[in-house]
Amino acid sequence: MVDARRYVAEFIGTLLLVFFGVGSAIAARIEGGVVVVSLAFGFVLLALVYTIGQLSGSHVNPAVTLGVLLSGKITALGAVAYWIAQFAGAAVASFLLWALVRWGGVNDQTGVLGANGYGTNINAGGAMLLETVLTFLFVLVVLVVSKRSTDLSGFAGLAIGLALGVANLVGVALTGAAVNPARAFGPAIFEGGLALRQLWVFIVFPLLGGVLAALVAPLVEHGSGVTRIGTPRPSGR
């Protein structure tokens, strides 16, 4: 029963992240700009961490779940269930956004239902590198602050939300800042065409960023001999 609640939380959390984050791009990418979209993603995730974090960990991102899996904090079966819930949540959110644009009279300021892509401001190789680095930063922050604050209370949510916001500040104008395979998947399947053909980049390379973050996280986690920067832990002698 607890597991089912976790999967439902991941479904709802990813749905809300995509609906409000991508929705901000659709509704305000031109009028509000990169900052508005970045804040929307960051604030929504911050709220989700404090809302569902203690239940599911508030991954709402397959790259985060992969990092957690490689860190040994979730089973393979649990990770697969999380991925299914996340992609399903993103698909439902994207359908709702598609319906608003198609039937609700909403002007899509991205022109592509907020889908990620490359070719205008960055080439394919640049997109691969960018998505890897942005996701590496984001997943690294999630893994490290989650380790330090196991119940995701305190300032953990703030750090995680800020990390996603910063990633979007850099990436929105270039690729749309996927940083999340589920976020990339949802809009692409409803937009189709070029967005769907380029989708693999925004699935594979955020996942690669998650793998790299899982490898690096143990090297920077607090408690391995240092209490604060530049100050060695007392040896007790």
Side-chain angles (χ1 to χ4, degrees):
M1 181 63 181
V2 173
D3 285 343
R5 290 175 57 211
R6 289 174 181 157
Y7 308 145
V8 171
E10 285 296 303
F11 170 81
I12 293 173
T14 311
L15 188 160
L16 293 174
L17 177 68
V18 173
F19 183 84
F20 286 100
V22 177
S24 71
I26 290 172
R29 175 64 181 87
I30 296 174
E31 295 176 357
V34 170
V35 173
V36 167
V37 177
S38 301
L39 288 175
F41 272 103
F43 284 154
V44 171
L45 184 59
L46 187 156
L48 289 172
V49 169
Y50 292 123
T51 303
I52 64 173
Q54 292 191 34
L55 177 58
S56 72
S58 190
H59 296 187
V60 297
N61 182 334
V64 171
T65 300
L66 180 58
V68 174
L69 173 64
L70 294 176
S71 300
K73 298 170 185 174
I74 190 173
T75 65
L77 183 61
V80 170
Y82 267 42
W83 288 328
I84 292 171
Q86 290 158 358
F87 280 106
V92 172
S94 299
F95 170 74
L96 296 176
L97 293 170
W98 176 81
L100 285 173
V101 171
R102 186 176 179 87
W103 299 308
V106 173
N107 177 35
D108 180 3
Q109 295 189 18
T110 69
V112 290
L113 200 68
N116 299 108
Y118 58 83
T120 302
N121 298 317
I122 192 170
N123 62 26
M128 295 173 189
L129 177 60
L130 180 71
E131 289 293 332
T132 301
V133 174
L134 294 182
T135 311
F136 168 77
L137 166 67
F138 174 64
V139 177
L140 181 66
V141 170
V142 172
L143 294 178
V144 172
V145 302
S146 297
K147 172 85 173 198
R148 295 175 182 174
S149 180
T150 55
D151 62 353
L152 290 178
S153 60
F155 291 102
L158 182 61
I160 292 169
L162 283 173
L164 183 59
V166 167
N168 275 268
L169 280 171
V170 174
V172 163
L174 299 175
T175 63
V179 195
N180 183 334
R183 175 261 180 269
F185 171 79
I189 61 173
F190 287 98
E191 176 63 20
L194 184 61
L196 198 55
R197 292 194 296 273
Q198 295 183 350
L199 174 61
W200 71 274
V201 170
F202 302 102
I203 291 179
V204 171
F205 290 93
L207 290 175
L208 175 59
V211 170
L212 295 175
L215 294 175
V216 171
L219 305 178
V220 299
E221 285 174 350
H222 180 72
S224 56
V226 175
T227 54
R228 57 181 180 272
I229 295 174
T231 305
R233 176 181 294 170
S235 64
R237 291 182 294 176

